[in-house]
Amino acid sequence: MSDDDLLRALVREHGTPLYLLDLDMALERAARLDAFDTVRYAQKAHPGLALLRALAAAGHSVDATSGFEILRARAAGFPAERIELATDVLDRATLEVAVREGVRANLGSADLIEAYAASGAHPECTLRINPGFGSGHSRRVTTGGPHSKHGIWHEEFPAALERAERAGLRVSGLHVHIGSGVELEGLSQTIAAMEQALRHAPDSVVRISAGGGLAVPYDGGPEFPVERYAAAWLEARARWQVELGRSLHLEVEPGRYLVAPAGRMVSEVRACKETPEWSWVLVDAGFHTLARPLLYGSYHRMSLVGAESRPLRPTVVAGPLCESGDVLTQSPSGEPRPVELPEARPGDLLVIHDTGAYGISMASNYNGFPLPAEVVLEGGQPRLARRRQSFDDLLALEQDL
Ligand code: LLP
């Protein structure tokens, strides 16, 4: 069956908007990082159980941001020792789950140290350092530097270590994550920041994490050079063994790198219209199904199923929400940013590419729409991994109040 025929068949069965995720591709991309001792998948990118199960079965580890992500990872089969909670705020419910499940935490604020140590949680922790600089595809996802809430400011790090010691908490890991969509430039600066932290760190530190954020070429450009990235960290680790006498376990914590290109979303064209400046194509997916264009002005490649021979035209693609920002092709400042698409007609299927990361995981029920369904592909075989929300699901939380 051709890819177009598969998409049409899946849409006949499950409707639109419909997410698709290729599990084999996600696993293959995780395997590209096997020079690291641990690949810790950042499940915020896509927390689907089918994906988490596959990653757990392949022996990978997982990052959780909340108690609920810990429980999700446990439900998917990750043992507690392969889960790490990374947070700058330990809300009470999350702390309770971390304690109950025996999951170690990566603490990004020094004020969490005493509460964590006193809670009966895991006896070890990781400390996350804000190295004083950051990077990323948008300032909204830059997680280092003076304007970021994340991590322990590098100058405060020695004081945080003292607090941990006083609290009887063993610091066994150090972590840096400077942002999302990070390229190789700046890597040596990040490695230098880790080295600086290691020079202050007690002997109890046996693990370091390079963080995640590995960029994905949403414009179809060259892939992130994972070999060079891994080689730089491995070289530094070998040097620290000699110069600092430390044997360190090396982790990487990618989200989008594993899943962004493995996901697509299929929507249906429902209306086409013109304004003096733009040709609009209105589809049944919007920022309730894919928030990235609205939040960051992110670009996603798009294609129209079976329309390759039609003439191309600059097109602004928008969704059904009652909000003028509901445009799937927009610049970071919110201007419509047309893309070249074959002439569209109502009933056409529009595919939005590279939506595996922060697509369905950031979807909402705005304007009353249900969360979309998702099909996973494994060995080329499609399987419904998540059904579309029903009207009853939508009312369930408010019934009988
Ligand atoms: N580790 C930590 C501590 C993180 O905060 C994140 C992402 C990651 C790893 C994974 O980053 P990735 O490899 O996926 O870039 N919604 C935004 C991205 C937010 C990222 C939040 N933290 C987007 O759609 O681009």
Side-chain angles (χ1 to χ4, degrees):
M1 197 191 291
S2 73
D3 188 56
D4 282 359
D5 287 343
L6 174 70
L7 293 181
R8 288 192 187 100
L10 291 174
V11 164
R12 267 196 304 276
E13 200 176 339
H14 305 293
T16 53
L18 179 66
Y19 268 98
L20 303 181
L21 186 71
D22 184 337
L23 294 186
D24 298 325
M25 190 192 287
L27 286 175
E28 186 271 320
R29 294 179 71 84
R32 292 185 199 175
L33 289 162
D34 66 7
F36 289 88
D37 299 317
T38 294
V39 176
R40 183 176 300 286
Y41 171 60
Q43 67 172 293
K44 64 202 95 188
H46 189 308
L49 279 185
L51 170 69
L52 293 185
R53 279 207 184 97
L55 290 167
H60 296 301
S61 295
V62 71
D63 156 77
T65 304
S66 64
F68 289 99
E69 282 194 349
I70 292 176
L71 294 175
R72 184 170 269 277
R74 295 287 290 127
F78 282 99
E81 58 276 14
R82 279 200 267 140
I83 305 172
E84 188 172 69
L85 170 72
T87 184
D88 301 278
V89 175
L90 263 175
D91 65 85
R92 291 174 196 277
T94 292
L95 183 57
E96 195 185 306
V97 173
V99 171
R100 195 169 73 229
E101 298 292 325
V103 165
R104 190 182 63 220
N106 170 1
L107 306 175
S109 304
D111 266 359
L112 306 183
I113 288 172
E114 289 79 12
Y116 179 79
S119 66
H122 197 285
E124 295 176 14
C125 75
T126 299
L127 293 183
R128 175 174 179 175
I129 298 147
N130 178 338
F133 56 87
S135 177
H137 67 75
S138 154
R139 61 178 297 189
R140 295 196 167 90
V141 299
T142 298
T143 57
H147 303 300
S148 170
K149 66 172 180 166
H150 294 288
I152 297 167
W153 185 250
H154 57 107
E155 289 163 330
E156 303 296 324
F157 176 60
L161 286 171
E162 279 168 30
R163 279 173 81 164
E165 196 182 339
R166 274 200 302 279
L169 183 58
R170 188 178 173 85
V171 179
S172 60
L174 301 184
H175 177 271
V176 276
H177 170 81
I178 61 166
S180 268
V182 173
E183 305 285 349
L184 276 195
E185 310 84 74
L187 177 58
S188 52
Q189 208 188 347
T190 306
I191 290 176
M194 178 60 87
E195 177 166 334
Q196 196 50 32
L198 280 168
R199 290 187 186 276
H200 292 287
D203 291 344
S204 54
V205 169
V206 290
R207 286 176 295 107
I208 51 171
S209 173
L214 289 65
V216 159
Y218 287 96
D219 60 359
E223 281 275 355
F224 181 83
V226 268
E227 301 79 13
R228 282 171 55 205
Y229 175 75
W233 277 104
L234 289 170
E235 185 275 321
R237 195 243 317 248
R239 194 161 43 77
W240 296 332
Q241 168 108 47
V242 177
E243 290 175 10
L244 308 179
R246 286 181 183 273
S247 288
L248 295 164
H249 182 96
L250 178 61
E251 294 196 6
V252 66
E253 197 172 70
R256 90 185 56 236
Y257 181 78
L258 267 50
V259 287
R264 296 186 278 177
M265 183 179 45
V266 192
S267 61
E268 187 187 344
V269 175
R270 300 298 298 170
C272 303
K273 60 170 110 173
E274 305 285 326
T275 51
E277 245 177 293
W278 313 113
S279 291
W280 298 82
V281 166
L282 303 189
V283 298
D284 59 5
F287 76 68
H288 59 315
T289 36
L290 181 67
R292 305 190 73 252
L294 172 72
L295 288 177
Y296 322 111
S298 299
Y299 168 81
H300 283 266
R301 282 183 303 121
M302 297 183 184
S303 55
L304 269 190
V305 174
E308 293 76 12
S309 59
R310 296 188 210 155
L312 292 176
R313 62 192 311 189
T315 308
V316 179
V317 178
L321 302 180
C322 187
E323 187 155 331
S324 42
D326 185 25
V327 173
L328 293 165
T329 54
Q330 62 175 289
S331 69
S333 58
E335 297 296 313
R337 183 169 54 185
V339 292
E340 289 286 313
L341 273 180
E343 231 163 53
R345 301 170 194 145
D348 284 340
L349 294 180
L350 176 94
V351 182
I352 307 178
H353 297 270
D354 302 321
T355 55
Y358 308 104
I360 204 165
S361 69
M362 295 177 81
S364 77
N365 292 125
Y366 191 42
N367 282 188
F369 287 104
L371 296 177
E374 186 167 54
V375 165
V376 293
L377 295 160
E378 214 169 358
Q381 289 306 309
R383 171 163 61 89
L384 183 67
R386 176 179 177 138
R387 66 169 170 81
R388 190 174 309 282
Q389 254 182 336
S390 67
F391 186 57
D392 284 347
D393 291 335
L394 286 168
L395 293 194
L397 296 176
E398 296 167 71
Q399 267 165 8
D400 304 324
L401 290 179

